[in-house]
Amino acid sequence: HDNRYRGDPEGHGRRSARASWIQPTISSADGRGRRSAARIATRYLGVPYVRGGASPAGFDCSGLVTHVFARVGVSIPHNAAQQYRYGTAVSRGRLEPGDLVFFSTSAPGASHVGMAIGSDEFVHAPSARGEVRVERFSSSYWAGRMVGVRRIR
């Protein structure tokens, strides 16, 4: 089914004044869709950071997540704070590949997003050092900045 939000039939990321969000779903309740999303995300390692980017020509953090989920049939907004409202909250101890991980980097709350890929790692598109790459949750920088994990179903 179409997971775009009402008020934006073309999926361009703009909401009308009367728009309301539609909760996205992945048809596979066993998590195959999320695992596929995690595998797809790693294919973009090395792609340059581009502010506002949401294509293999260049990604920002939320654009990478938006693009990857679109590849598995799920439409979510291109904004980390809005993505943080999707799915179900999950504790870090129950983290699975394909879960979205949110960090407070440039503003209070969820200002940066990445995707768990397994073990202690996530893939993301940070502006620092400018390309999609894998990091560890346990690194001194990221460990203290995590604000939450969301599972898109």
Side-chain angles (χ1 to χ4, degrees):
H1 75 285
D2 186 355
N3 288 316
R4 293 183 196 138
Y5 46 88
R6 292 183 195 106
D8 182 22
E10 298 303 318
H12 296 293
R14 294 188 278 306
R15 290 179 60 180
S16 71
R18 295 178 10 210
S20 62
W21 292 102
I22 298 172
Q23 180 69 26
T25 60
I26 292 177
S27 60
S28 174
D30 66 4
R32 284 180 295 179
R34 287 186 306 277
R35 285 192 298 274
S36 293
R39 282 191 300 276
I40 291 166
T42 61
R43 293 181 191 159
Y44 298 113
L45 293 175
V47 169
Y49 174 87
V50 173
R51 184 179 178 148
S55 78
F59 292 109
D60 65 11
C61 68
S62 60
L64 173 64
V65 169
T66 297
H67 178 80
V68 167
F69 271 106
R71 296 275 314 270
V72 296
V74 177
S75 180
I76 60 175
H78 183 172
N79 177 283
Q82 290 174 356
Q83 290 172 352
Y84 191 58
R85 297 183 193 122
Y86 274 70
T88 304
V90 178
S91 70
R92 177 148 181 227
R94 298 189 54 111
L95 193 65
E96 294 178 4
D99 287 344
L100 299 184
V101 290
F102 294 89
F103 303 91
S104 178
T105 57
S106 61
S111 58
H112 185 71
V113 62
M115 182 178 291
I117 58 173
S119 186
D120 182 39
E121 296 181 323
F122 66 101
V123 63
H124 67 136
S127 58
R129 293 185 304 201
E131 66 182 30
V132 176
R133 65 177 181 267
V134 172
E135 305 264 8
R136 294 195 172 277
F137 293 113
S138 59
S139 77
S140 59
Y141 182 83
W142 296 108
R145 289 176 170 78
M146 185 182 283
V147 296
V149 178
R150 305 295 290 187
R151 181 163 297 152
I152 306 298
R153 297 195 182 271

